[in-house]
mmCIF file of all heavy atoms in Angstrom:
data_model
loop_
_atom_site.group_PDB
_atom_site.id
_atom_site.type_symbol
_atom_site.label_atom_id
_atom_site.label_comp_id
_atom_site.label_asym_id
_atom_site.label_seq_id
_atom_site.Cartn_x
_atom_site.Cartn_y
_atom_site.Cartn_z
ATOM 1 N N GLN C 149 39.708 75.935 -54.320
ATOM 2 C CA GLN C 149 40.373 75.211 -55.403
ATOM 3 C C GLN C 149 41.897 75.225 -55.223
ATOM 4 O O GLN C 149 42.564 74.230 -55.473
ATOM 5 C CB GLN C 149 39.992 75.825 -56.757
ATOM 6 C CG GLN C 149 38.552 75.530 -57.143
ATOM 7 C CD GLN C 149 38.058 76.384 -58.296
ATOM 8 O OE1 GLN C 149 38.502 77.518 -58.476
ATOM 9 N NE2 GLN C 149 37.126 75.852 -59.064
ATOM 10 N N LEU C 150 42.425 76.369 -54.779
ATOM 11 C CA LEU C 150 43.869 76.449 -54.516
ATOM 12 C C LEU C 150 44.267 75.429 -53.461
ATOM 13 O O LEU C 150 45.271 74.731 -53.581
ATOM 14 C CB LEU C 150 44.242 77.845 -54.013
ATOM 15 C CG LEU C 150 44.399 78.935 -55.057
ATOM 16 C CD1 LEU C 150 44.618 80.280 -54.375
ATOM 17 C CD2 LEU C 150 45.555 78.634 -55.993
ATOM 18 N N LEU C 151 43.448 75.343 -52.406
ATOM 19 C CA LEU C 151 43.725 74.406 -51.320
ATOM 20 C C LEU C 151 43.695 72.974 -51.834
ATOM 21 O O LEU C 151 44.601 72.184 -51.578
ATOM 22 C CB LEU C 151 42.670 74.602 -50.220
ATOM 23 C CG LEU C 151 42.828 73.768 -48.965
ATOM 24 C CD1 LEU C 151 44.033 74.236 -48.184
ATOM 25 C CD2 LEU C 151 41.567 73.870 -48.094
ATOM 26 N N TRP C 152 42.666 72.661 -52.590
ATOM 27 C CA TRP C 152 42.417 71.278 -52.993
ATOM 28 C C TRP C 152 43.325 70.818 -54.127
ATOM 29 O O TRP C 152 43.781 69.684 -54.145
ATOM 30 C CB TRP C 152 40.944 71.132 -53.384
ATOM 31 C CG TRP C 152 40.534 69.712 -53.557
ATOM 32 C CD1 TRP C 152 40.208 69.093 -54.723
ATOM 33 C CD2 TRP C 152 40.412 68.716 -52.528
ATOM 34 N NE1 TRP C 152 39.912 67.779 -54.489
ATOM 35 C CE2 TRP C 152 40.014 67.521 -53.155
ATOM 36 C CE3 TRP C 152 40.601 68.728 -51.135
ATOM 37 C CZ2 TRP C 152 39.813 66.345 -52.450
ATOM 38 C CZ3 TRP C 152 40.402 67.546 -50.434
ATOM 39 C CH2 TRP C 152 40.014 66.379 -51.090
ATOM 40 N N HIS C 153 43.587 71.717 -55.096
ATOM 41 C CA HIS C 153 44.345 71.304 -56.283
ATOM 42 C C HIS C 153 45.826 71.654 -56.206
ATOM 43 O O HIS C 153 46.625 71.076 -56.915
ATOM 44 C CB HIS C 153 43.756 71.941 -57.539
ATOM 45 C CG HIS C 153 42.364 71.476 -57.858
ATOM 46 N ND1 HIS C 153 42.068 70.171 -58.165
ATOM 47 C CD2 HIS C 153 41.186 72.140 -57.876
ATOM 48 C CE1 HIS C 153 40.773 70.052 -58.384
ATOM 49 N NE2 HIS C 153 40.206 71.230 -58.205
ATOM 50 N N VAL C 154 46.181 72.641 -55.389
ATOM 51 C CA VAL C 154 47.585 73.067 -55.361
ATOM 52 C C VAL C 154 48.239 72.782 -54.006
ATOM 53 O O VAL C 154 49.220 72.055 -53.924
ATOM 54 C CB VAL C 154 47.718 74.570 -55.702
ATOM 55 C CG1 VAL C 154 49.187 74.971 -55.754
ATOM 56 C CG2 VAL C 154 47.052 74.873 -57.038
ATOM 57 N N ARG C 155 47.677 73.343 -52.936
ATOM 58 C CA ARG C 155 48.373 73.248 -51.647
ATOM 59 C C ARG C 155 48.389 71.828 -51.076
ATOM 60 O O ARG C 155 49.443 71.299 -50.737
ATOM 61 C CB ARG C 155 47.724 74.193 -50.635
ATOM 62 C CG ARG C 155 48.072 75.652 -50.863
ATOM 63 C CD ARG C 155 47.656 76.441 -49.630
ATOM 64 N NE ARG C 155 47.566 77.864 -49.875
ATOM 65 C CZ ARG C 155 48.549 78.727 -49.650
ATOM 66 N NH1 ARG C 155 49.701 78.294 -49.211
ATOM 67 N NH2 ARG C 155 48.375 80.002 -49.880
ATOM 68 N N LEU C 156 47.196 71.210 -50.974
ATOM 69 C CA LEU C 156 47.138 69.881 -50.340
ATOM 70 C C LEU C 156 47.965 68.826 -51.080
ATOM 71 O O LEU C 156 48.790 68.159 -50.459
ATOM 72 C CB LEU C 156 45.685 69.432 -50.195
ATOM 73 C CG LEU C 156 45.039 69.691 -48.833
ATOM 74 C CD1 LEU C 156 43.600 69.194 -48.825
ATOM 75 C CD2 LEU C 156 45.821 69.035 -47.701
ATOM 76 N N PRO C 157 47.766 68.661 -52.399
ATOM 77 C CA PRO C 157 48.535 67.597 -53.057
ATOM 78 C C PRO C 157 50.048 67.792 -52.961
ATOM 79 O O PRO C 157 50.792 66.824 -52.965
ATOM 80 C CB PRO C 157 48.074 67.646 -54.517
ATOM 81 C CG PRO C 157 47.070 68.708 -54.631
ATOM 82 C CD PRO C 157 46.845 69.336 -53.310
ATOM 83 N N GLN C 158 50.492 69.056 -52.859
ATOM 84 C CA GLN C 158 51.933 69.298 -52.828
ATOM 85 C C GLN C 158 52.516 69.248 -51.427
ATOM 86 O O GLN C 158 53.717 69.397 -51.250
ATOM 87 C CB GLN C 158 52.262 70.638 -53.485
ATOM 88 C CG GLN C 158 51.980 70.623 -54.973
ATOM 89 C CD GLN C 158 52.533 71.826 -55.679
ATOM 90 O OE1 GLN C 158 53.617 72.284 -55.385
ATOM 91 N NE2 GLN C 158 51.759 72.345 -56.619
ATOM 92 N N SER C 159 51.674 69.101 -50.405
ATOM 93 C CA SER C 159 52.225 69.058 -49.054
ATOM 94 C C SER C 159 51.843 67.791 -48.318
ATOM 95 O O SER C 159 52.333 67.532 -47.226
ATOM 96 C CB SER C 159 51.768 70.284 -48.264
ATOM 97 O OG SER C 159 50.377 70.431 -48.342
ATOM 98 N N ILE C 160 50.994 66.969 -48.926
ATOM 99 C CA ILE C 160 50.486 65.800 -48.208
ATOM 100 C C ILE C 160 51.611 64.825 -47.884
ATOM 101 O O ILE C 160 51.594 64.177 -46.839
ATOM 102 C CB ILE C 160 49.358 65.119 -49.012
ATOM 103 C CG1 ILE C 160 48.567 64.175 -48.128
ATOM 104 C CG2 ILE C 160 49.878 64.356 -50.214
ATOM 105 C CD1 ILE C 160 47.145 64.570 -47.966
ATOM 106 N N ASN C 161 52.626 64.758 -48.738
ATOM 107 C CA ASN C 161 53.714 63.810 -48.453
ATOM 108 C C ASN C 161 54.601 64.280 -47.294
ATOM 109 O O ASN C 161 55.379 63.512 -46.763
ATOM 110 C CB ASN C 161 54.534 63.487 -49.702
ATOM 111 C CG ASN C 161 55.100 64.718 -50.357
ATOM 112 O OD1 ASN C 161 54.880 65.835 -49.875
ATOM 113 N ND2 ASN C 161 55.828 64.537 -51.431
ATOM 114 N N LEU C 162 54.451 65.556 -46.892
ATOM 115 C CA LEU C 162 55.116 66.014 -45.672
ATOM 116 C C LEU C 162 54.228 65.767 -44.451
ATOM 117 O O LEU C 162 54.713 65.572 -43.340
ATOM 118 C CB LEU C 162 55.405 67.517 -45.757
ATOM 119 C CG LEU C 162 56.487 67.966 -46.736
ATOM 120 C CD1 LEU C 162 56.489 69.481 -46.848
ATOM 121 C CD2 LEU C 162 57.839 67.479 -46.268
ATOM 122 N N MET C 163 52.899 65.809 -44.686
ATOM 123 C CA MET C 163 51.976 65.683 -43.553
ATOM 124 C C MET C 163 51.851 64.243 -43.080
ATOM 125 O O MET C 163 51.662 63.991 -41.897
ATOM 126 C CB MET C 163 50.587 66.182 -43.959
ATOM 127 C CG MET C 163 50.534 67.642 -44.312
ATOM 128 S SD MET C 163 48.866 68.043 -44.856
ATOM 129 C CE MET C 163 49.140 69.660 -45.565
ATOM 130 N N ILE C 164 51.951 63.294 -44.008
ATOM 131 C CA ILE C 164 51.716 61.896 -43.631
ATOM 132 C C ILE C 164 52.737 61.403 -42.606
ATOM 133 O O ILE C 164 52.346 60.873 -41.563
ATOM 134 C CB ILE C 164 51.637 60.994 -44.876
ATOM 135 C CG1 ILE C 164 50.318 61.278 -45.595
ATOM 136 C CG2 ILE C 164 51.735 59.522 -44.514
ATOM 137 C CD1 ILE C 164 50.186 60.618 -46.942
ATOM 138 N N PRO C 165 54.055 61.588 -42.832
ATOM 139 C CA PRO C 165 54.990 61.122 -41.797
ATOM 140 C C PRO C 165 54.762 61.801 -40.450
ATOM 141 O O PRO C 165 54.831 61.149 -39.409
ATOM 142 C CB PRO C 165 56.371 61.470 -42.358
ATOM 143 C CG PRO C 165 56.173 62.113 -43.661
ATOM 144 C CD PRO C 165 54.744 62.091 -44.029
ATOM 145 N N ALA C 166 54.458 63.087 -40.453
ATOM 146 C CA ALA C 166 54.209 63.783 -39.189
ATOM 147 C C ALA C 166 52.999 63.192 -38.476
ATOM 148 O O ALA C 166 52.984 63.068 -37.250
ATOM 149 C CB ALA C 166 53.993 65.272 -39.443
ATOM 150 N N THR C 167 51.994 62.804 -39.254
ATOM 151 C CA THR C 167 50.793 62.230 -38.649
ATOM 152 C C THR C 167 51.082 60.839 -38.084
ATOM 153 O O THR C 167 50.565 60.475 -37.025
ATOM 154 C CB THR C 167 49.656 62.179 -39.681
ATOM 155 O OG1 THR C 167 49.485 63.492 -40.216
ATOM 156 C CG2 THR C 167 48.361 61.710 -39.064
#
Side-chain angles (χ1 to χ4, degrees):
Chain C
Q149 289 166 330
L150 280 174
L151 183 70
W152 191 249
H153 295 297
V154 184
R155 285 193 197 266
L156 263 180
Q158 293 191 40
S159 51
I160 196 117
N161 56 0
L162 290 171
M163 296 177 193
I164 288 171
T167 306

